[in-house]
Amino acid sequence: MQIIPLSEGSFTIDKSKIFVPFNLNSDELQSRPVGSLLVEVQPFVIISANDVLLLDTGLGFSYNNQLQLVQNLIAHNIQPQQVTKVWLSHLHKDHAGGISKKNHLGFYELTFPNAKYYVQKKEYDFALSTGFPSYMTEEIEVLQNNPQVEWLNGNGKLAFTDYSIEYEITGAHSPYHQVCTIKTAQQTIFFGADDAPQLQQMKSKFIAKYDFDGKKAMQLRQQWWEQGKNEKWAFLFYHDINTPIFQS
């Protein structure tokens, strides 16, 4: 399977939960508010023999009236109509911003017209009840009663022609955050999203204050790291500036 990171750039984020663009060549982290974190935002697209699978959908920023996510896909010769599956780890705005876009009438519609969207139902309900600033409810409400959505309820496995997706709700970064393991006969790909956002966090014991259950997230990272080393996983890091893909 071909894995392509779709970088949307580097940003700082603080307790305001606003993503502020950060130029690695000219900006200084010390000049940002105390406690600011430096992160990358990068969905991934995975291409198999039968599918174009998108993992999370970025911030939803637009340039020249087109989503940056769509521009990044087109730069890799992938048209929005070719995306067949959209996997959503959770619905925080930096992971779900590209779910939908406004049409010419100003109404939101799904960005990928031919894709099946895989969403945890409890995560969706939690997002609507929680709202801003973590969730942009007006952008994700289009999922409700939409025939393109396959609602997931808890842990499970999806089997396709040439691969499978095993998924699990962790309750670590957020109450209904899910991680997934994508398996073929030759390859195992692990996408931990915000439970396992950066390579360095896998190598050190780190409890993040911004996690719903920071201790559990730390323990899970250690568990995944050891298992991944033993089983030769490819790790995908959504928020890592330097190492989006790490092959164990």
Side-chain angles (χ1 to χ4, degrees), residues 4-9 41-45 53-63 65-80 83 85-88 94-101 110-112 117 238:
I4 304 172
L6 302 171
S7 173
E8 298 193 349
V41 173
Q42 54 197 355
F44 294 87
V45 66
L53 168 65
L54 182 64
L55 302 178
D56 286 348
T57 64
L59 279 161
F61 288 177
S62 293
Y63 299 95
N65 296 317
Q66 187 178 60
L67 284 174
Q68 183 180 0
L69 175 63
V70 170
Q71 293 180 29
N72 288 348
L73 286 166
I74 292 173
H76 290 281
N77 299 311
I78 301 169
Q79 297 297 320
V83 176
K85 293 178 172 63
V86 178
W87 175 269
L88 292 156
D94 58 318
H95 291 255
I99 282 177
S100 62
K101 59 182 179 62
L110 292 177
T111 302
F112 305 101
Y117 284 66
Y238 192 89

Side-chain angles (χ1 to χ4, degrees), residues 27 41 67 106 117 124 131 133 135 137 151 164 166 174 187 224 243:
D27 292 337
V41 173
L67 284 174
Y117 284 66
Y124 177 76
Y135 299 98
T137 55
W151 296 109
S164 65
E166 297 177 9
S174 57
Q187 194 175 18
W224 293 325
T243 313

Side-chain angles (χ1 to χ4, degrees), residues 86-105:
V86 178
W87 175 269
L88 292 156
S89 63
H90 62 308
L91 298 175
H92 282 169
K93 61 186 178 183
D94 58 318
H95 291 255
I99 282 177
S100 62
K101 59 182 179 62
K102 284 186 177 180
N103 61 23
H104 67 285
L105 296 175

Side-chain angles (χ1 to χ4, degrees), residues 34-46:
V34 175
S36 293
L37 298 174
L38 179 60
V39 298
E40 185 84 2
V41 173
Q42 54 197 355
F44 294 87
V45 66
I46 298 179

Side-chain angles (χ1 to χ4, degrees), residues 128-139:
L128 289 190
S129 65
T130 303
F132 188 82
S134 294
Y135 299 98
M136 304 297 286
T137 55
E138 64 177 5
E139 296 177 0

